Amino acid sequence: MPAMTTDLMIDARNIHKSFGGLKVLQGVDLQVGRSEVVAIIGSSGSGKSTLLRCLNNLETIDAGSLAIEGAYLCQNNAQGKSQYVTERQIKAICARMGMVFQQFNLFPHMTVLQNVIEAPLTVKKVKRETIEPVAQALLAKVGLESKQNYYPSQLSGGQKQRVAIARALAMQPQIMLFDEPTSALDPELTGEVLKTMQQLAEDKMTMVVVTHEMGFAREVADRVLFMDKGVIVESAEARRFFESPQHDRTRAFLSSMLK
């Protein structure tokens, strides 16, 4: 499957995904440009997280095509089913993306610094003396340079999530995916994580963020998508999305979230 030269970082077309008889994604199209920040909002069960997991191959799609920076993960075959490239190609393509989950998934027996350097050491075979200064700079970037020798049990939830962001960045991704990164946090800890994400946006990192934080979506995202029942109901520039939503379902959802 040939690669294209493009500034289109993510090109997902007509994505279908079912779990058994449950259709979770029904013909989803998503294009994300270089340095663009896209927020995806919607009710629980609307398909938001499944879409994100399909982008980095944590889930495989049933039909449709997925390309990352012009390199195809999969395309439809003659039978109309998604056919993936080789495992080696998949790993190379997915290495361009970092992902931050709802839960922090830090290694409890490792220090903050060890958590950040572990993947570059083991996956990319980077030398410790090369990656440690990079990791320390990333911890400084997320405001945790003084915590590098702490263990996860010694950190707040917000601090753990910022370590998780630094850990993802240590793999030098071109795209960052965030799946409800503040949903497991107390409200007072949410702000520090959103501030870190806003800084990434200001640094021109390409980002796709599944979130229930309407303020973040309005102020930081370039574009906002509303998903419902496995389809993208509405997509618009952030300000226009919130000021003049076009679809009844979008208006009802925003009304319930912004009360």
Side-chain angles (χ1 to χ4, degrees):
M1 296 180 185
M4 305 170 290
T5 301
T6 178
D7 264 350
L8 199 59
M9 301 295 278
I10 296 173
D11 190 7
R13 297 184 184 269
N14 200 24
I15 302 301
H16 290 262
K17 173 65 179 177
S18 296
F19 294 103
L22 179 64
K23 295 180 180 179
V24 180
L25 299 175
Q26 304 187 64
V28 171
D29 288 332
L30 173 64
Q31 287 76 45
V32 181
R34 189 177 303 276
S35 302
E36 189 178 17
V37 178
V38 175
I40 304 176
I41 65 174
S43 301
S44 177
S46 60
K48 310 182 302 296
S49 293
T50 298
L51 174 58
L52 216 59
R53 291 173 64 85
C54 289
L55 293 180
N56 70 349
N57 204 52
L58 292 176
E59 300 285 354
T60 56
I61 64 173
D62 302 323
S65 67
L66 276 174
I68 306 299
E69 285 193 281
Y72 278 103
L73 273 174
C74 61
Q75 291 178 287
N76 278 346
N77 59 21
Q79 290 73 44
K81 301 294 184 183
S82 287
Q83 181 174 331
Y84 279 79
V85 295
T86 67
E87 190 64 31
R88 183 176 180 179
Q89 290 171 307
I90 289 171
K91 286 181 179 178
I93 295 167
C94 289
R96 305 177 192 190
M97 293 176 282
M99 187 157 178
V100 176
F101 300 87
Q102 297 177 33
Q103 301 299 328
F104 326 117
N105 300 321
L106 300 180
F107 296 113
H109 63 289
M110 292 184 179
T111 66
V112 164
L113 182 63
Q114 289 170 332
N115 266 280
V116 175
I117 68 175
E118 178 64 17
L121 287 175
T122 58
V123 177
K124 286 192 167 183
K125 309 300 181 186
V126 179
K127 292 182 179 179
R128 182 177 293 270
E129 58 266 29
T130 301
I131 192 58
E132 276 198 6
V134 174
Q136 289 164 341
L138 288 171
L139 288 172
K141 185 182 184 71
V142 300
L144 292 173
E145 64 271 36
S146 65
K147 304 290 187 182
Q148 67 176 33
N149 294 318
Y150 283 49
Y151 287 88
S153 62
Q154 298 172 292
L155 303 179
S156 70
Q159 290 170 333
K160 291 175 185 176
Q161 192 61 294
R162 284 185 284 154
V163 173
I165 293 172
R167 178 180 59 184
L169 291 172
M171 293 294 282
Q172 300 182 308
Q174 302 300 306
I175 302 164
M176 285 288 287
L177 309 176
F178 293 86
D179 186 10
E180 301 263 18
T182 61
S183 65
L185 301 179
D186 294 331
E188 64 269 21
L189 300 176
T190 294
E192 62 192 48
V193 174
L194 294 178
K195 181 180 178 182
T196 296
M197 294 168 63
Q198 183 170 356
Q199 289 170 343
L200 289 179
E202 291 169 357
D203 291 342
K204 305 300 183 184
M205 172 64 76
T206 305
M207 298 164 60
V208 181
V209 184
V210 170
T211 185
H212 60 274
E213 299 291 342
M214 296 300 105
F216 175 88
R218 182 197 294 266
E219 295 163 21
V220 180
D222 298 300
R223 186 157 48 99
V224 182
L225 314 181
F226 171 61
M227 288 189 69
D228 187 43
K229 297 179 181 177
V231 301
I232 295 176
V233 174
E234 190 161 346
S235 171
E237 178 270 329
R239 182 181 296 274
R240 184 162 63 86
F241 182 93
F242 285 100
E243 290 181 355
S244 56
Q246 300 299 299
H247 200 285
D248 288 344
R249 281 190 282 175
T250 310
R251 287 193 287 269
F253 177 79
L254 290 177
S255 177
S256 69
M257 292 297 290
L258 298 174
K259 283 181 180 177

